[in-house]
Amino acid sequence: MKKYLFLIVLVFVAAACSKKEERLELFSCESFAYTMDKGWEVDASVRVKGFEQKENDGKYSAKLTYTVDLQTVDGRMIEKIDSGVFEKTASERMMDQQINSQIQLDSTYQTGTYKIFINVTDDYSGQKTVQWSYFDLSK
């Protein structure tokens, strides 16, 4: 019986000491459209956590690449309407960060509900994920 108890305790200790792998996660995706003189400006943002961070001389760095896709009112998909790289270095581990995108749409875009997709890749771990939000174009 003592052998089984020892084995069970050993399994729990090993599980507690194992490194927990972070999973890239997007949350709080928001998008808004503002009327401009010749169209609209779309502002989109998403918060990201679970990204890998590299430590060097007490500094932590993160590198995330993102692309933005837009689904129009008629269902047409416009891929990579925006893209960018989020890089940051901090003196302590980062919990979560915000990625922002601004897109200009001209007056040829019709009014209605659009869907915006923010695709994020963690350049250090290779993990990818996507989150989306809806916004309306109105006159």
Side-chain angles (χ1 to χ4, degrees):
M1 183 69 171
K2 288 182 182 181
K3 290 180 183 179
Y4 291 117
L5 183 60
F6 176 75
L7 185 59
I8 291 171
V9 169
L10 183 63
V11 168
F12 280 117
V13 169
C17 293
S18 67
K19 182 181 176 186
K20 180 183 175 188
E21 184 176 321
E22 293 281 338
R23 194 179 100 237
L24 185 64
E25 183 180 340
L26 303 179
F27 61 100
S28 298
C29 188
E30 297 180 318
S31 56
F32 306 94
Y34 303 96
T35 304
M36 305 281 286
D37 289 337
K38 297 181 180 179
W40 294 271
E41 177 180 302
V42 178
D43 293 339
S45 66
V46 69
R47 299 210 53 91
V48 59
K49 66 180 181 178
F51 47 88
E52 188 169 314
Q53 298 176 55
K54 295 199 176 190
E55 192 266 331
N56 187 14
D57 292 331
K59 300 282 186 186
Y60 295 88
S61 64
K63 184 176 180 185
L64 306 167
T65 304
Y66 66 91
T67 61
V68 179
D69 303 331
L70 182 67
Q71 185 177 25
T72 63
V73 173
D74 58 4
R76 186 172 48 101
M77 187 65 81
I78 303 170
E79 295 183 354
K80 295 183 182 176
I81 195 165
D82 189 27
S83 62
V85 176
F86 174 89
E87 285 187 275
K88 186 170 182 179
T89 301
S91 58
E92 37 184 61
R93 289 191 65 76
M94 296 168 262
M95 298 302 290
D96 61 75
Q97 295 295 313
Q98 183 167 312
I99 294 176
N100 299 304
S101 174
Q102 285 187 328
I103 304 164
Q104 301 294 321
L105 301 178
D106 62 32
S107 60
T108 62
Y109 285 84
Q110 59 185 329
T111 59
T113 302
Y114 287 73
K115 190 173 184 180
I116 193 163
F117 297 84
I118 303 176
N119 309 283
V120 177
T121 301
D122 181 343
D123 289 17
Y124 293 157
S125 71
Q127 293 183 74
K128 298 178 181 186
T129 190
V130 62
Q131 184 74 312
W132 62 89
S133 176
Y134 294 100
F135 66 91
D136 290 316
L137 293 186
S138 59
K139 296 209 181 224

